[in-house]
């Protein structure tokens, strides 16, 4: 069993035009910076990206949007990206906006081997259009399908050579859910350690979900909204 | 005098009870954290994956891995916990969060809320708002009574695409505190010096005024 890759270029080498990708992160927090840079370098196109946000103009998935590599975005909030808005309004980019909890739970369902879930989010709104509504105990719920992604690309704080992952603070967000949900999961970590070094009690994502792992380099970890108290 | 945004936040803070788990939305709702009454402890939930949100960090202590749902740098407090996004919305969906405060563009007299989209103008997305309004048992809206053109935002029916149906419990505007009841907006309190007539004239939806309406204590 060798899950260890040397770098992002090698880990994403078989991602091709038209692939469906999940990308972890919330805003710019906990995004797989190295893999995004490698995807931009590789120049694959017509991608479908499932990610809570679309980065900002010059960072995160925004870099892939600049190169027009994305055919479709599935996100919950895309407010910080002017290029995104331009491509959306001009019709170059297909966008499916879905509630954040629905996004998370559709990832979770995939990772738990469940085809679909029921959620109340979006009942009575345009999100409900075309979806099955079912009433349980007097309340309406929408049927939402588990995601089906070719690759999940996640960022963790620490990982070992077996693919076990530990996330830090709110950089956890969608990462462990997407790690469980990809047909092939690629994890980039800030600190790669030998197997046996991580306490099994502290593992967030068991290595069975991770097919490829590498230690990332030169993390910028950009802050979107620096707010300080005096 | 109509309230300013800080006073709206201050009035909403009076809705907090000791031990509440609270989710505060972006904008005026975030300010509510600054006015938690003496002797009351609340735990703030940030839907990107944190319970026990602390104040903004001091210069040099900011950490890119530690942000709130508005993507602002924050801190933890003793007793904080982190979790993934599915668990975060799990606690929201299962009704564990006691109070949700959020902004709105429009609210209708039956408690529908619109706050995520202006067709042809703004396409930012709903983020966690649809999940929150579909599940929270206690939703307070912080909003201006009218839009910049002076048109009422408290309507018979929402014009904008809605975020959730029949979910708002209470509304605090710069003019009034209102409660959604079976027949419409029930006027509970008015801002100091604001007349009932002014509130009537700026409320398009059905407004219920019973007896003397007290002034807010701010």
């Amino acid at each position: 069993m060798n899950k260890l890759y040397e770098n992002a270029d090698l880990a994403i080498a078989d991602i091709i035009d038209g692939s469906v990708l999940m990308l972890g992160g919330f805003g710019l927090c906990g995004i797989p910076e190295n893999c995004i840079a490698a995807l931009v370098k590789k120049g694959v196109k017509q991608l479908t990206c499932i990610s809570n946000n679309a980065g900002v103009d010059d960072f995160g998935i925004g870099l892939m949007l600049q190169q027009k590599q994305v055919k479709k975005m599935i996100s919950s909030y895309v407010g910080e990206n002017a290029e995104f808005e331009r491509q959306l309004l001009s019709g170059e980019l297909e966008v499916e906006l879905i509630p954040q909890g629905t996004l998370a739970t559709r990832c979770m369902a995939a990772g738990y081997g469940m085809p679909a879930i029921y959620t109340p989010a979006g009942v009575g709104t345009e999100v409900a259009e075309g979806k099955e509504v079912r009433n349980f105990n007097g309340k309406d719920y929408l049927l939402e399908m588990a995601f089906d992604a070719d690759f999940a690309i996640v960022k963790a704080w620490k990982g070992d050579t077996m693919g076990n992952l530990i996330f830090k603070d709110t950089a956890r967000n969608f990462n462990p859910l997407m790690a469980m949900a990809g047909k092939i999961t690629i994890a980039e970590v800030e600190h790669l350690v030998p197997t046996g070094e991580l306490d099994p009690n502290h593992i967030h994502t068991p290595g069975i979900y991770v097919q490829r792992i590498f230690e990332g380099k030169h993390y910028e970890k950009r802050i979107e909204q620096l707010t300080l108290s005096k | 005098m109509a309230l300013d945004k800080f006073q709206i936040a201050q009035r909403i803070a009076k809705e907090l009870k000791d031990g509440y788990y609270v989710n505060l939305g972006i904008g005026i709702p975030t300010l509510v954290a600054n006015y938690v009454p003496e002797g009351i402890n609340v735990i703030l939930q940030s839907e990107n994956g944190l319970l026990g949100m602390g104040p903004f960090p001091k210069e040099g202590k900011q950490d890119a891995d530690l942000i709130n749902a508005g993507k602002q740098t924050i801190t933890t407090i003793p007793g904080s916990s982190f979790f993934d996004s599915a668990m975060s919305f799990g606690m929201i969906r299962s009704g564990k969060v006691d109070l949700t405060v959020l902004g709105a563009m429009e609210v209708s007299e039956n408690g529908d809320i619109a706050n995520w989209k202006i067709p042809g103008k703004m396409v930012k997305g709903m983020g966690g708002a649809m999940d929150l309004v579909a599940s929270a048992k206690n939703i307070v809206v912080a909003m201006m009574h009218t839009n910049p053109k002076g048109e009422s935002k408290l309507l018979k029916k929402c014009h904008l695409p809605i975020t959730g149906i029949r979910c708002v419990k209470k509304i605090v505007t710069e003019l009034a505190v209102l409660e959604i009841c079976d027949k419409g907006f029930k006027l509970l309190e008015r801002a100091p010096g604001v007349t009932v007539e002014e509130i009537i004239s700026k409320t398009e939806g059905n407004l219920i005024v019973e007896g003397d309406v007290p002034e807010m204590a701010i």
Side-chain angles (χ1 to χ4, degrees):
Chain A
M1 179 176 64
N2 182 25
K3 297 182 176 184
L4 201 55
Y5 281 68
E6 204 172 314
N7 56 41
D9 295 330
L10 296 170
I12 62 122
D14 56 351
I15 294 182
I16 55 169
D17 290 357
S19 293
V20 178
L21 312 181
M22 287 179 162
L23 294 120
F26 176 89
L28 302 178
C29 181
I31 60 172
E33 294 183 20
N34 279 235
C35 284
I36 290 170
L39 287 165
V40 170
K41 194 167 124 192
K42 186 170 156 73
V44 277
K45 291 197 160 55
Q46 294 290 308
L47 300 171
T48 294
C49 294
I50 302 165
S51 188
N52 190 59
N53 311 88
V56 294
D57 278 327
D58 61 345
F59 201 56
I61 294 174
L63 297 170
M64 292 159 67
L65 291 166
Q66 297 280 2
Q67 304 298 320
K68 303 202 165 57
Q69 293 176 270
V70 184
K71 179 184 72 173
K72 181 177 181 180
M73 275 305 308
I74 301 175
S75 304
S76 86
Y77 189 83
V78 293
E80 278 84 2
N81 195 316
E83 175 62 15
F84 182 101
E85 202 155 3
R86 191 197 66 71
Q87 290 186 22
L88 173 60
L89 294 172
S90 71
E92 292 165 60
L93 181 67
E94 199 183 326
V95 178
E96 192 181 332
L97 290 169
I98 61 176
Q100 193 178 337
T102 302
L103 179 65
T105 314
R106 288 175 67 187
C107 294
M108 190 197 79
Y112 276 70
M114 301 187 298
I117 52 113
Y118 283 102
T119 176
V123 167
T125 75
E126 62 185 60
V127 166
E129 283 166 21
K131 288 176 187 159
E132 180 191 321
V133 179
R134 186 159 165 189
N135 191 286
F136 295 95
N137 305 317
K139 184 168 173 165
D140 284 340
Y141 295 80
L142 299 181
L143 183 71
E144 297 277 5
M145 307 305 286
F147 282 122
D148 184 12
D150 301 315
F151 295 90
I153 303 173
V154 303
K155 150 85 196 321
W157 178 46
K158 285 184 179 177
D160 67 19
T161 49
M162 286 185 77
N164 294 305
L165 303 177
I166 296 176
F167 304 91
K168 181 172 157 284
D169 300 0
T170 56
R172 191 183 317 183
N173 55 64
F174 289 86
N175 281 301
L177 301 162
M178 291 181 170
M180 292 169 66
K183 286 193 195 76
I184 293 173
T185 290
I186 302 165
E188 57 174 87
V189 299
E190 279 179 68
H191 306 284
L192 184 72
V193 301
T195 291
E197 198 157 299
L198 301 176
D199 182 341
N201 285 299
H202 295 164
I203 304 292
H204 293 129
T205 298
I208 192 169
Y209 286 114
V210 177
Q211 282 70 47
R212 302 174 189 175
I213 189 166
F214 68 94
E215 187 170 76
K217 292 185 183 69
H218 312 302
Y219 280 104
E220 181 179 335
K221 297 177 76 166
R222 195 186 290 185
I223 289 174
E224 215 164 322
Q225 303 275 345
L226 177 62
T227 43
L228 301 169
S229 59
K230 291 189 190 97
Chain B
M1 274 294 285
L3 306 186
D4 62 25
K5 63 179 182 177
F6 300 100
Q7 291 168 313
I8 292 175
Q10 204 178 339
R11 173 59 191 81
I12 291 173
K14 288 176 186 287
E15 304 291 317
L16 301 171
K17 293 198 171 71
D18 196 38
Y20 261 15
Y21 288 95
V22 181
N23 182 290
L24 300 176
I26 295 162
I28 296 175
T30 305
L31 300 171
V32 172
N34 300 332
Y35 300 101
V36 179
E38 193 81 16
I40 299 243
N41 278 304
V42 298
I43 298 113
L44 299 177
Q45 199 250 17
S46 190
E47 65 267 25
N48 55 320
L50 169 62
L51 266 175
M53 181 163 47
F56 297 139
K58 296 219 186 304
E59 172 88 58
K61 296 287 183 191
Q62 68 269 20
D63 182 346
D65 289 333
L66 183 47
I67 62 170
N68 64 16
K71 284 119 188 165
Q72 298 170 308
T73 46
I74 46 154
T75 56
T76 55
I77 56 169
S80 289
S81 56
F82 295 114
F83 34 83
D84 67 52
S85 303
M87 186 180 283
S88 180
F89 285 95
M91 60 185 76
I92 288 166
R93 228 180 271 123
S94 59
K96 305 294 184 194
V97 176
D98 299 291
L99 176 67
T100 295
V101 183
L102 71 177
M105 299 173 194
E106 295 174 349
V107 172
S108 72
E109 63 188 32
N110 67 347
D112 293 353
I113 179 171
N115 72 352
W116 78 280
K117 185 180 187 183
I118 305 173
K121 273 191 188 165
M122 185 200 86
V123 276
K124 292 181 188 301
M126 66 290 280
M130 279 194 185
D131 306 274
L132 281 158
V133 300
S135 298
K137 50 195 170 189
N138 191 5
I139 297 175
V140 176
V141 167
M143 69 190 292
M144 290 297 145
H145 217 96
T146 56
N147 66 21
K149 288 187 218 155
E151 296 158 344
S152 182
K153 293 165 71 170
L154 281 68
L155 306 170
K156 287 190 185 310
K157 200 173 180 309
C158 291
H159 306 305
L160 295 169
I162 61 172
T163 312
I165 50 171
R166 293 185 292 279
C167 53
V168 175
K169 294 281 180 294
K170 212 174 246 187
I171 303 150
V172 179
T173 75
E174 79 280 23
L175 304 179
V177 180
L178 309 106
E179 188 178 51
I180 299 286
C181 66
D182 290 344
K183 291 172 190 151
F185 300 104
K186 185 174 175 187
L187 184 57
L188 299 182
E189 298 171 23
R190 56 198 169 81
V194 170
T195 62
V196 171
E197 288 67 35
E198 180 178 358
I199 297 165
I200 291 173
S201 74
K202 289 180 174 171
T203 306
E204 187 219 88
N206 192 34
L207 185 73
I208 297 144
V209 184
E210 287 172 357
D212 279 343
V213 178
E215 279 192 359
M216 290 180 215
I218 286 289

